[in-house]
Amino acid sequence: MAGFDPQWFATRGFGGHGAALGMRYHAHGNDWAELALPYDAKLIGDPASGVIASGPIITMMDMATSLAIWIKRNAFVPHATLDLRVDYLRPATPGKTVIGRGECYRITRSIAFVRGQAHDGDPDDPLAHVAGTFMVVGDVAGMGLNRRIEA
């Protein structure tokens, strides 16, 4: 059975912006994915406090929710972020890795609905909550990013 393997994708697909930020695969389930954003001085937004800028966290949450859609569809299918509301609740703790969890809770013919949160060690004390929608544009065969899932 052809399918989408987020761990395989993360090791090969995080080129460009994701690779520049240092995003890594962390975990996944049937409709969710977690990514890790290790603390790095190049991500600091406020030099006085050492706090990571919100932009890298928002980028990670966009990718984590995207991965959740591909996991739920069990295929790499092009889609575009229509809306990603981010409630930034508090600054990340300097020196800590930020974990971003995205979940796809519903897919219609053309829209995927997602939600998630980012935390730096305690999911009960999140940095940010996200909710959004993605436009699903269809299947593309032969993109080389789907992978057999081992039974």
Side-chain angles (χ1 to χ4, degrees):
M1 173 176 115
F4 178 76
D5 181 340
Q7 188 171 7
W8 179 87
F9 177 83
T11 59
R12 290 161 180 82
F14 284 160
H17 198 192
L21 293 174
M23 279 192 288
R24 297 184 185 146
Y25 169 84
H26 189 256
H28 77 278
N30 291 334
D31 60 358
W32 59 270
E34 285 184 352
L35 298 176
L37 183 64
Y39 187 80
D40 189 316
K42 70 183 179 191
L43 303 178
I44 293 173
D46 178 10
S49 66
V51 171
I52 294 176
S54 60
I57 295 169
I58 293 166
T59 299
M60 178 179 61
M61 295 310 298
D62 189 40
M63 179 54 79
T65 50
S66 260
L67 281 171
I69 295 167
W70 292 322
I71 291 168
K72 190 167 181 89
R73 294 189 74 184
N74 198 25
F76 179 84
V77 180
H79 58 240
T81 308
L82 291 177
D83 173 56
L84 188 64
R85 176 193 163 107
V86 180
D87 294 325
Y88 192 64
L89 305 173
R90 65 172 180 86
T93 304
K96 288 191 167 184
T97 294
V98 177
I99 302 296
R101 181 183 176 113
E103 175 191 4
C104 178
Y105 62 93
R106 180 170 169 79
I107 298 178
T108 66
R109 186 170 51 88
S110 58
I111 303 292
F113 298 88
V114 298
R115 58 186 165 214
Q117 73 169 29
H119 65 84
D120 57 8
D122 182 0
D124 292 330
D125 186 22
L127 311 171
H129 284 160
V130 300
T133 53
F134 287 70
M135 181 175 66
V136 179
V137 293
D139 295 331
V140 174
M143 292 188 72
L145 295 172
N146 292 329
R147 181 172 179 235
R148 283 194 179 275
I149 294 179
E150 307 296 325

